[in-house]
Amino acid sequence: MLQKPLSVTFEDRPTPSLDSPYDVLLQVNYTGICGSDIHYWQHGRIGHFVVKDPMVLGHESAGTVVQVGDKVRSLKEGDKVAMEPGVPCRRCVRCKEGKYNLCADMAFAATPPYDGTLAKYYTLPEDFCYKLPAGVSLEEGALMEPLAVAVHITKQSGVKHGDSIVVFGAGPVGLLCCAVAKALGASKIVSVDIQENRLEFAKKYAATATFVPAKVAAKENADRLVRENDLGLGADVAIDASGAEPSVQTAIHVLRMGGSYVQGGMGRDEITFPIMAACTKELTVKGSFRYGSGDYQTAVDMVASGKVDVKSLITRKVSFEDAEQAFEDVKAGKGIKVLIEGPK
Amino acid sequence: MLQKPLSVTFEDRPTPSLDSPYDVLLQVNYTGICGSDIHYWQHGRIGHFVVKDPMVLGHESAGTVVQVGDKVRSLKEGDKVAMEPGVPCRRCVRCKEGKYNLCADMAFAATPPYDGTLAKYYTLPEDFCYKLPAGVSLEEGALMEPLAVAVHITKQSGVKHGDSIVVFGAGPVGLLCCAVAKALGASKIVSVDIQENRLEFAKKYAATATFVPAKVAAKENADRLVRENDLGLGADVAIDASGAEPSVQTAIHVLRMGGSYVQGGMGRDEITFPIMAACTKELTVKGSFRYGSGDYQTAVDMVASGKVDVKSLITRKVSFEDAEQAFEDVKAGKGIKVLIEGPK
Amino acid sequence: MLQKPLSVTFEDRPTPSLDSPYDVLLQVNYTGICGSDIHYWQHGRIGHFVVKDPMVLGHESAGTVVQVGDKVRSLKEGDKVAMEPGVPCRRCVRCKEGKYNLCADMAFAATPPYDGTLAKYYTLPEDFCYKLPAGVSLEEGALMEPLAVAVHITKQSGVKHGDSIVVFGAGPVGLLCCAVAKALGASKIVSVDIQENRLEFAKKYAATATFVPAKVAAKENADRLVRENDLGLGADVAIDASGAEPSVQTAIHVLRMGGSYVQGGMGRDEITFPIMAACTKELTVKGSFRYGSGDYQTAVDMVASGKVDVKSLITRKVSFEDAEQAFEDVKAGKGIKVLIEGPK
Amino acid sequence: MLQKPLSVTFEDRPTPSLDSPYDVLLQVNYTGICGSDIHYWQHGRIGHFVVKDPMVLGHESAGTVVQVGDKVRSLKEGDKVAMEPGVPCRRCVRCKEGKYNLCADMAFAATPPYDGTLAKYYTLPEDFCYKLPAGVSLEEGALMEPLAVAVHITKQSGVKHGDSIVVFGAGPVGLLCCAVAKALGASKIVSVDIQENRLEFAKKYAATATFVPAKVAAKENADRLVRENDLGLGADVAIDASGAEPSVQTAIHVLRMGGSYVQGGMGRDEITFPIMAACTKELTVKGSFRYGSGDYQTAVDMVASGKVDVKSLITRKVSFEDAEQAFEDVKAGKGIKVLIEGPK
């Protein structure tokens, strides 16, 4: 539990009760550590979300059903599920038009004032639990959250079979965007990062090519990327999963007329942006926020069918008691994804 | 004819011949003066388009058919038409997918090296001539070009019946965006400009409300705009037709979650842009470049049906011989739209 | 209350209580009579929906708020609202993708086993009540239901500004489809019916032209319709609001290559259908079922803005006590829309 | 050359000249035999297309570039290409909106009055030739035509990653629809046919399951298909590639609320169609006609990337001189796809 910045504690808390007949009580088995957890831990806030009261961290979890409400039909005790950690109001215009990730009344795990999933038990509505098919482990289940992020970003991009795509950033989400683009049939997938070792992983993992930007103007990097990868008049799609200003700029310049760009990475509030290139090339630039209708299910399907491999992103697993050390390691950039077990 | 920056001349030139059996020879009756004409006249270039050889200016024209090619079926001598001034290659991927405005081989009037329409005669393929219905004058026909620009911007925005929209800039294109949004059923149309007299016109013309930004942060102006116009969680759609950096910034902040923004105005290549607001609100940001499939026809339909009034934007008409003075006046910001007659 | 086919009774029933803090208790002021009410009254069933227990009829209602739940924010006692009479589960895949009208667990008024709105009181969730703006009467409020049906059909058709559209059937829904198409900017709106007096009304109401089919093959009627209305290669859009087999056939033949058709009317389960014409013209044929996300709000907006007139469709109002006589009249085809007042 | 029904001849004809600087002269290497060729050969007409003058058959071809026009940039002598056999006008509304397959002035090979590709030489515009990548043979190139048909049908269906799809008919196009659906990530692909041996091939080829309809009502077959394949409330997508009335009926009943259907197969002009099921389930029913923007390129990409195997559909190759015998064999239903070589 995050008491205040830099101060986490372990607490015994009462087992939550089922508020609704549609709810399910879950024992949490694995929870991945995300950059946002690290950020709350370090700074106590992300943008206008401020941790005022002590808050449980964690939102990348898989668990086991221990109790179901009276009206639950699709789940039973013992089922293993991936846990979608944000529950919308279901009543506003955004929810009813099929964009529940844009709901203004979303209750999202580990976003103040809502507790996260790094706890023994957690309750969720049945329809935000995704039963893991045979052959998909609980560890993989915990990875469905970043994969759903990547699925949403990639769907936002509109990438189609045969398209070329450039993905900036080779952290967990960038890598998963490459994998999703591959599953959707992208023909060329260029992974861009400043760390060579990440690109080596990306190449083996899902990218068809890699690119290390030089310390030159964004346009110059973009031109070289297009040339080296034989992208003709430019890439069809570009995704930023880095949040870095030069990545965004390069991405805009790398696109062809009518290309599509998605901002997936979080970074500075304002950046210098090549707006006239976006205008005269008639680009479509979209933000991507969390995940929405169908994204978690797509994530589960892609792993179950073997199209996306999430296992190889799991660097190591630590016990609940070692969680704080794991936070330190993630902050230091060690490994790709660390899972916290239990607590038991 | 633009010889070099600041130097225009009048020349007698041979009547063009019909290169293709699908072409039409037109006598040009009226040509509007556009900001881009002024820009070429003053600076000899726009971005990477540089006037190297003498070039005829003008691209907002209506004319009368004087000769038709053998295979022309829909037009005959004497027909009065609005002239769409850019002809694409019809063969590239962009053309064949229905986005000919993104054609890399577009031949566009008064964009180097292609001559413009400020001439006695001009040839166009039949399918880029739009017959003016009964009741639509040649003067109105010349206004179809900026109206098509506004139609394209507004279509790019996806504005739907009942939506709220904020349009930045109350010059010809901004005003026409307001009018098109009204024709498409927008419920609230807020026109934003720093010149009060323009807003007075906008209010009478097509806007339902107006807004003068204060010299404060963009977010602050946006919040006030939302509050004053009772826009709830924000506007559904925002369009920039000004090219000004503060307009772009305010527009992004004025939008609701999932809102839509279109960059229509031309300005500085790079600006400071609130990228995180665009990301976390999951906005759709689009550029808009010229006009494409169906836009000119929509423009003609909107004027013919009386839904859009272009007449009241015509400040005055000048003779061909007085064209240079008209350029000076437009440069000085006198009036909304000036038409050049003839030459006869 | 419908006891069994042909047998309706009046009953005193307890005032319903608010089951959810998001619910609103309404006094029902006006209820329109719909063909489906007549059908249940006459036959006790529609398709696989069978009236087994006594059921209250009615689903086209407007009412006044008499009590609100604890969490209701947008409504207060005394507010006048249009009542959307079907509440979906909000939890299934269809609901969460923004198509709640396709929810398999929809509770829809006057569809067995759910009671209808022809009662003194009715409860609805806040978000299925649409506050009537100043200037919109409760009588008009009751017409929002058929208007929402027409809005949904017309949206399904994808009709755009400038399109030509042919609407088969000039009953309430067909007429309202014409009105919605007009509000969305359709250029030609041809109303088709076999009753001349209905077409006279349609012409005054919203159609730009009318057509009476002859007793000839569908293709022949279609060809004449296209010719008489100068539709070139065919209409852009066709809607059936009649349910009649010859209408469907004629509609398919009346369309241009790539045109769009919507089945709005209910009729025989199976008909003879020109499938090869639909295939080789690459038509888009859609069903339309009730109304979904945004449709009721669009209906209210269109009436409030004056774009759609529903008042002139109200033939007369009868007291609750005279409801049965009104059912007889509607069955006999007298008038366009009859409203039942109260009960008080 | 088809002289009249049942009468084909071999003729020496002059090598065609290049009419346009954008054209390419091709030596035809392989041509597949299509059902439509058989139909013209047997009956001399398909629908309103009637063979009046002698006509060369064939439209599924691959060839080698022997001469290029002055403005051709992407091809040179010796290049091996798949030949898209229909060239649109490029000027009409349909062409310019990106739907050139709906062009009313299409010149399509072996559709009267246009000669087909079963000749030594054939000319095409550069942009209707698709260079075969390394590793793709000319034999495979000839299969791009039916694959493009399947790509277009499948795109029309909107099938998405994870969807369930039922394909009626296991002939060449039905099989290729299964393969394309698999390449696009469909999770369940049920192939339906009345011939068990075709289904055996389908199962090995691309289907995940097969179904043989019983001689019962369409609804009954549909219910069993859904049950046996665990499709819940119904399939997401259904495609008919058989043209058979019972297939169409079963397909409509097999779909879930909001599902999508495409008519790909050609059969009787009119059939008995369950229109109310299509209406109340709010299905999207689309025709599919030939192929359009991007389809041929997608076909080439799918074969080049190994996602679609067309080789195993080639039953045998015959010499040009044996073409007539091959027509007899195809008519008798022997094999899946027969290619005609040359002539040399």
Side-chain angles (χ1 to χ4, degrees):
Chain A
M1 170 160 284
L2 181 66
Q3 296 293 344
K4 56 184 180 178
L6 304 176
S7 162
V8 294
T9 60
F10 297 92
E11 284 190 13
D12 270 334
R13 304 186 12 131
T15 303
S17 57
L18 296 182
D19 292 341
S20 148
Y22 297 102
D23 277 0
V24 163
L25 180 66
L26 300 153
Q27 181 169 6
V28 182
N29 297 111
Y30 291 100
T31 301
I33 304 176
C34 168
S36 70
D37 295 315
I38 303 295
H39 205 278
Y40 279 123
W41 172 50
Q42 291 286 308
H43 303 288
R45 69 187 303 159
I46 292 181
H48 62 286
F49 292 107
V50 181
V51 179
K52 291 172 185 159
D53 297 310
M55 180 182 83
V56 177
L57 291 171
H59 60 276
E60 303 182 355
S61 295
T64 307
V65 174
V66 293
Q67 194 188 339
V68 300
D70 288 350
K71 296 197 173 169
V72 171
R73 293 288 167 272
S74 66
L75 293 173
K76 61 177 194 307
E77 208 181 313
D79 282 346
K80 295 176 191 327
V81 302
M83 298 159 55
E84 181 170 350
V87 181
C89 82
R90 304 178 191 267
R91 296 169 178 279
C92 68
V93 173
R94 297 287 87 77
C95 280
K96 279 154 80 185
E97 75 180 10
K99 304 209 163 174
Y100 67 71
N101 60 317
L102 305 183
C103 172
D105 288 321
M106 173 72 82
F108 201 90
T111 298
Y114 302 102
D115 276 330
T117 59
L118 259 178
K120 186 159 185 182
Y121 296 109
Y122 197 79
T123 59
L124 273 177
E126 170 186 22
D127 59 322
F128 283 79
C129 297
Y130 299 81
K131 197 171 170 177
L132 298 176
V136 179
S137 68
L138 281 160
E139 286 91 333
E140 291 172 294
L143 269 286
M144 295 303 173
E145 204 275 348
L147 178 52
V149 168
V151 164
H152 192 69
I153 290 172
T154 313
K155 284 186 188 171
Q156 286 286 96
S157 81
V159 69
K160 297 185 314 295
H161 191 279
D163 279 354
S164 56
I165 183 170
V166 185
V167 179
F168 292 81
V173 169
L175 290 167
L176 288 166
C177 286
C178 291
V180 173
K182 191 178 178 184
L184 295 178
S187 60
K188 294 185 180 182
I189 303 167
V190 184
S191 177
V192 180
D193 207 299
I194 49 177
Q195 290 184 247
E196 300 260 12
N197 63 328
R198 288 182 164 210
L199 292 183
E200 277 165 39
F201 184 90
K203 190 69 188 293
K204 276 179 293 184
Y205 181 63
T208 62
T210 60
F211 183 85
V212 182
K215 288 185 177 167
V216 297
K219 183 77 172 68
E220 206 171 316
N221 273 317
D223 289 348
R224 180 166 64 91
L225 194 161
V226 167
R227 207 167 50 238
E228 286 180 6
N229 290 282
D230 201 15
L231 295 177
L233 297 174
D236 297 307
V237 176
I239 284 173
D240 175 62
S242 77
E245 184 173 29
S247 294
V248 180
Q249 294 166 348
T250 307
I252 295 300
H253 289 304
V254 96
L255 288 165
R256 65 162 169 84
M257 293 288 282
S260 160
Y261 172 79
V262 178
Q263 183 64 42
M266 308 288 275
R268 289 168 43 206
D269 279 354
E270 299 194 324
I271 62 166
T272 298
F273 185 82
I275 190 89
M276 277 306 106
C279 176
T280 57
K281 291 201 288 189
E282 205 170 87
L283 303 183
T284 298
V285 172
K286 288 190 179 183
S288 185
F289 187 58
R290 294 171 177 162
Y291 24 73
S293 178
D295 294 329
Y296 243 82
Q297 190 59 57
T298 300
V300 172
D301 290 347
M302 285 184 167
V303 172
S305 67
K307 290 208 177 150
V308 170
D309 157 31
V310 292
K311 256 187 199 151
S312 65
L313 299 188
I314 304 173
T315 308
R316 65 193 184 95
K317 297 184 277 186
V318 302
S319 70
F320 192 75
E321 291 68 28
D322 295 332
E324 194 164 3
Q325 180 58 44
F327 273 64
E328 294 282 5
D329 289 359
V330 173
K331 192 193 149 204
K334 294 186 190 163
I336 299 174
K337 185 57 78 177
V338 176
L339 298 187
I340 297 171
E341 295 181 57
K344 273 151 199 165
Chain B
M1 168 159 286
L2 182 64
Q3 297 292 345
K4 54 183 184 181
L6 304 177
S7 162
V8 293
T9 60
F10 296 92
E11 284 189 12
D12 269 333
R13 302 182 18 125
T15 304
S17 57
L18 295 182
D19 292 340
S20 149
Y22 297 103
D23 277 359
V24 162
L25 179 67
L26 300 154
Q27 179 168 8
V28 182
N29 298 111
Y30 290 100
T31 302
I33 304 176
C34 167
S36 69
D37 295 315
I38 303 295
H39 205 279
Y40 280 122
W41 172 51
Q42 290 286 308
H43 304 288
R45 69 187 301 160
I46 293 181
H48 61 288
F49 292 107
V50 180
V51 179
K52 289 170 186 160
D53 298 309
M55 181 182 82
V56 177
L57 290 171
H59 60 276
E60 304 182 354
S61 295
T64 306
V65 175
V66 293
Q67 194 188 340
V68 300
D70 288 350
K71 296 196 173 171
V72 170
R73 292 289 167 269
S74 65
L75 293 174
K76 59 176 197 307
E77 208 181 313
D79 282 345
K80 296 177 189 325
V81 303
M83 297 159 57
E84 181 169 351
V87 181
C89 82
R90 305 178 190 267
R91 297 169 178 275
C92 68
V93 173
R94 296 290 87 77
C95 279
K96 278 154 80 185
E97 75 179 11
K99 303 207 165 176
Y100 67 71
N101 59 318
L102 306 183
C103 172
D105 288 321
M106 173 72 82
F108 201 91
T111 297
Y114 301 102
D115 276 330
T117 58
L118 259 178
K120 185 158 185 183
Y121 296 109
Y122 198 78
T123 59
L124 273 178
E126 171 187 21
D127 60 323
F128 284 79
C129 297
Y130 299 81
K131 197 171 169 176
L132 298 176
V136 179
S137 67
L138 281 160
E139 287 91 332
E140 290 171 294
L143 269 285
M144 295 302 173
E145 204 275 348
L147 178 52
V149 168
V151 164
H152 192 69
I153 291 172
T154 313
K155 284 186 186 172
Q156 285 286 95
S157 81
V159 68
K160 297 187 313 297
H161 190 278
D163 279 353
S164 55
I165 185 170
V166 184
V167 179
F168 292 81
V173 170
L175 290 166
L176 288 166
C177 286
C178 291
V180 173
K182 190 177 178 184
L184 295 177
S187 60
K188 293 184 180 182
I189 303 166
V190 184
S191 176
V192 181
D193 206 297
I194 49 177
Q195 290 183 247
E196 299 260 13
N197 64 327
R198 287 181 165 213
L199 292 182
E200 276 165 41
F201 185 90
K203 189 72 187 293
K204 275 179 292 185
Y205 181 64
T208 62
T210 60
F211 183 84
V212 182
K215 289 185 176 169
V216 297
K219 183 76 172 69
E220 206 170 316
N221 273 318
D223 289 348
R224 179 165 65 89
L225 195 160
V226 168
R227 209 167 48 238
E228 287 179 7
N229 289 282
D230 201 14
L231 296 177
L233 297 174
D236 296 307
V237 176
I239 283 173
D240 176 62
S242 76
E245 185 172 28
S247 293
V248 180
Q249 295 166 347
T250 306
I252 295 300
H253 289 304
V254 95
L255 288 165
R256 63 160 171 85
M257 293 288 282
S260 160
Y261 172 79
V262 178
Q263 183 66 41
M266 307 290 273
R268 289 170 43 207
D269 279 353
E270 301 193 323
I271 62 165
T272 299
F273 185 81
I275 189 89
M276 277 306 106
C279 176
T280 57
K281 290 201 288 188
E282 205 168 87
L283 303 183
T284 298
V285 171
K286 289 191 179 182
S288 185
F289 187 58
R290 294 170 177 163
Y291 24 73
S293 178
D295 294 329
Y296 242 82
Q297 190 59 57
T298 300
V300 172
D301 290 347
M302 284 184 167
V303 172
S305 67
K307 290 207 178 151
V308 170
D309 156 32
V310 291
K311 257 188 201 153
S312 65
L313 299 188
I314 304 172
T315 308
R316 65 196 183 94
K317 296 183 279 186
V318 302
S319 69
F320 192 74
E321 292 68 29
D322 295 331
E324 194 165 1
Q325 180 57 45
F327 273 64
E328 294 282 5
D329 289 357
V330 172
K331 193 193 148 206
K334 293 186 189 161
I336 299 175
K337 186 57 78 179
V338 176
L339 297 187
I340 295 171
E341 295 181 56
K344 273 150 201 166
Chain C
M1 170 162 284
L2 181 66
Q3 296 293 343
K4 54 184 184 181
L6 305 177
S7 162
V8 292
T9 59
F10 295 92
E11 284 189 12
D12 269 334
R13 306 192 2 136
T15 304
S17 57
L18 296 181
D19 293 339
S20 149
Y22 297 102
D23 276 0
V24 162
L25 179 67
L26 300 153
Q27 180 168 6
V28 182
N29 298 110
Y30 291 100
T31 302
I33 304 176
C34 167
S36 69
D37 295 316
I38 303 295
H39 205 277
Y40 279 122
W41 172 51
Q42 290 285 308
H43 304 287
R45 69 186 302 159
I46 292 181
H48 62 287
F49 292 107
V50 181
V51 179
K52 291 171 184 158
D53 298 309
M55 181 181 81
V56 177
L57 291 170
H59 60 274
E60 303 182 355
S61 296
T64 307
V65 175
V66 293
Q67 194 188 339
V68 300
D70 287 350
K71 295 197 174 171
V72 171
R73 292 289 168 269
S74 65
L75 294 173
K76 60 177 196 304
E77 208 180 313
D79 282 346
K80 297 178 189 325
V81 301
M83 296 160 56
E84 181 170 351
V87 181
C89 82
R90 306 178 190 268
R91 297 169 177 277
C92 68
V93 172
R94 298 287 88 76
C95 280
K96 278 153 80 185
E97 75 179 11
K99 303 207 164 175
Y100 67 71
N101 59 318
L102 306 183
C103 173
D105 288 321
M106 174 72 83
F108 201 91
T111 297
Y114 301 102
D115 276 330
T117 58
L118 259 177
K120 185 158 184 182
Y121 295 108
Y122 197 78
T123 59
L124 273 178
E126 170 186 22
D127 60 322
F128 284 79
C129 297
Y130 299 81
K131 197 170 169 178
L132 298 175
V136 179
S137 67
L138 281 159
E139 287 91 333
E140 291 171 294
L143 268 286
M144 295 303 172
E145 204 276 347
L147 178 52
V149 168
V151 164
H152 192 69
I153 291 172
T154 313
K155 284 186 188 173
Q156 285 286 96
S157 81
V159 68
K160 298 186 313 298
H161 191 278
D163 279 353
S164 56
I165 184 169
V166 184
V167 179
F168 292 81
V173 170
L175 290 167
L176 288 165
C177 285
C178 292
V180 173
K182 189 177 179 185
L184 295 178
S187 59
K188 293 184 181 182
I189 304 167
V190 184
S191 177
V192 180
D193 206 297
I194 50 177
Q195 289 183 248
E196 299 259 14
N197 64 328
R198 287 182 167 213
L199 293 182
E200 276 165 40
F201 185 89
K203 189 71 187 293
K204 275 180 292 185
Y205 181 62
T208 62
T210 61
F211 182 85
V212 182
K215 289 184 176 169
V216 297
K219 183 76 173 70
E220 207 170 315
N221 273 317
D223 289 347
R224 180 166 63 90
L225 195 160
V226 167
R227 208 168 49 238
E228 286 180 6
N229 289 283
D230 200 16
L231 296 177
L233 297 173
D236 296 306
V237 177
I239 284 173
D240 175 63
S242 76
E245 185 172 28
S247 293
V248 180
Q249 295 166 347
T250 307
I252 295 300
H253 288 303
V254 96
L255 289 165
R256 63 160 170 85
M257 293 288 282
S260 160
Y261 171 80
V262 178
Q263 183 65 42
M266 307 290 273
R268 289 170 44 207
D269 278 355
E270 300 193 325
I271 62 165
T272 299
F273 185 81
I275 189 88
M276 277 307 106
C279 177
T280 56
K281 290 200 288 188
E282 205 169 87
L283 304 182
T284 298
V285 171
K286 289 190 179 184
S288 185
F289 187 58
R290 293 170 177 163
Y291 24 76
S293 178
D295 294 330
Y296 242 82
Q297 189 59 56
T298 300
V300 172
D301 290 347
M302 284 184 167
V303 173
S305 67
K307 290 208 177 150
V308 170
D309 157 32
V310 291
K311 256 187 201 153
S312 64
L313 300 188
I314 303 172
T315 308
R316 64 195 183 95
K317 295 185 280 185
V318 302
S319 69
F320 193 75
E321 291 68 29
D322 295 332
E324 194 165 2
Q325 181 56 46
F327 273 63
E328 294 282 6
D329 289 358
V330 172
K331 191 192 149 206
K334 293 186 189 160
I336 300 174
K337 186 56 78 179
V338 176
L339 297 187
I340 296 171
E341 295 181 55
K344 273 150 200 167
Chain D
M1 170 160 283
L2 181 67
Q3 296 293 344
K4 55 184 182 180
L6 303 177
S7 162
V8 293
T9 58
F10 297 91
E11 283 189 13
D12 270 334
R13 307 195 355 139
T15 304
S17 58
L18 296 182
D19 292 341
S20 149
Y22 297 103
D23 277 0
V24 162
L25 179 67
L26 300 153
Q27 180 169 8
V28 182
N29 297 111
Y30 291 101
T31 301
I33 303 176
C34 167
S36 69
D37 295 315
I38 303 294
H39 205 278
Y40 280 122
W41 171 51
Q42 290 286 308
H43 305 287
R45 68 186 302 158
I46 292 181
H48 62 286
F49 292 106
V50 181
V51 179
K52 291 171 185 159
D53 297 309
M55 180 182 82
V56 177
L57 291 171
H59 60 276
E60 303 182 355
S61 295
T64 307
V65 175
V66 293
Q67 193 188 340
V68 299
D70 288 350
K71 296 198 172 169
V72 171
R73 293 287 168 272
S74 65
L75 293 173
K76 60 179 193 307
E77 209 181 313
D79 282 345
K80 296 174 189 329
V81 302
M83 297 160 55
E84 180 169 351
V87 181
C89 82
R90 305 179 190 269
R91 296 169 178 279
C92 69
V93 172
R94 297 288 87 77
C95 279
K96 279 153 80 185
E97 75 180 9
K99 305 208 164 176
Y100 67 72
N101 59 319
L102 306 183
C103 173
D105 287 322
M106 173 73 82
F108 200 91
T111 297
Y114 301 101
D115 277 330
T117 58
L118 260 177
K120 186 159 184 182
Y121 295 108
Y122 197 78
T123 58
L124 274 177
E126 170 186 23
D127 59 322
F128 283 79
C129 297
Y130 299 81
K131 197 171 170 177
L132 298 176
V136 179
S137 68
L138 280 160
E139 287 91 333
E140 292 172 294
L143 268 287
M144 294 304 172
E145 204 276 348
L147 178 52
V149 168
V151 164
H152 192 69
I153 291 172
T154 313
K155 283 186 188 172
Q156 286 285 95
S157 81
V159 68
K160 296 186 314 297
H161 191 278
D163 279 354
S164 56
I165 183 169
V166 185
V167 179
F168 292 81
V173 169
L175 290 167
L176 288 166
C177 285
C178 291
V180 173
K182 190 178 177 184
L184 295 178
S187 60
K188 294 184 181 183
I189 303 167
V190 185
S191 176
V192 181
D193 206 299
I194 50 177
Q195 290 183 246
E196 298 260 12
N197 63 328
R198 288 182 165 212
L199 292 182
E200 277 165 40
F201 185 90
K203 189 70 187 292
K204 276 180 290 186
Y205 181 64
T208 62
T210 61
F211 183 84
V212 181
K215 289 185 176 168
V216 298
K219 183 77 172 70
E220 207 171 315
N221 273 319
D223 288 348
R224 180 166 64 89
L225 195 160
V226 167
R227 209 167 49 238
E228 286 180 6
N229 290 281
D230 201 16
L231 295 177
L233 297 174
D236 296 307
V237 175
I239 283 173
D240 175 61
S242 76
E245 185 173 27
S247 293
V248 180
Q249 294 166 347
T250 306
I252 296 300
H253 288 304
V254 96
L255 288 166
R256 65 162 170 84
M257 295 286 283
S260 160
Y261 172 79
V262 178
Q263 183 65 43
M266 307 290 274
R268 289 170 43 208
D269 278 355
E270 298 195 325
I271 63 166
T272 298
F273 185 82
I275 189 90
M276 276 306 106
C279 176
T280 57
K281 291 201 287 189
E282 205 169 89
L283 303 183
T284 297
V285 172
K286 289 191 179 183
S288 185
F289 188 58
R290 293 173 177 160
Y291 24 74
S293 178
D295 294 329
Y296 242 81
Q297 189 60 55
T298 300
V300 172
D301 290 347
M302 284 185 167
V303 172
S305 66
K307 290 207 177 150
V308 170
D309 158 32
V310 291
K311 257 188 201 152
S312 64
L313 299 188
I314 304 173
T315 308
R316 65 195 183 94
K317 297 184 278 186
V318 302
S319 69
F320 193 75
E321 291 69 28
D322 296 332
E324 193 164 3
Q325 180 57 45
F327 273 64
E328 294 283 5
D329 290 358
V330 172
K331 192 193 149 203
K334 293 186 189 163
I336 299 174
K337 186 57 76 177
V338 177
L339 297 188
I340 296 170
E341 295 180 57
K344 272 153 201 164

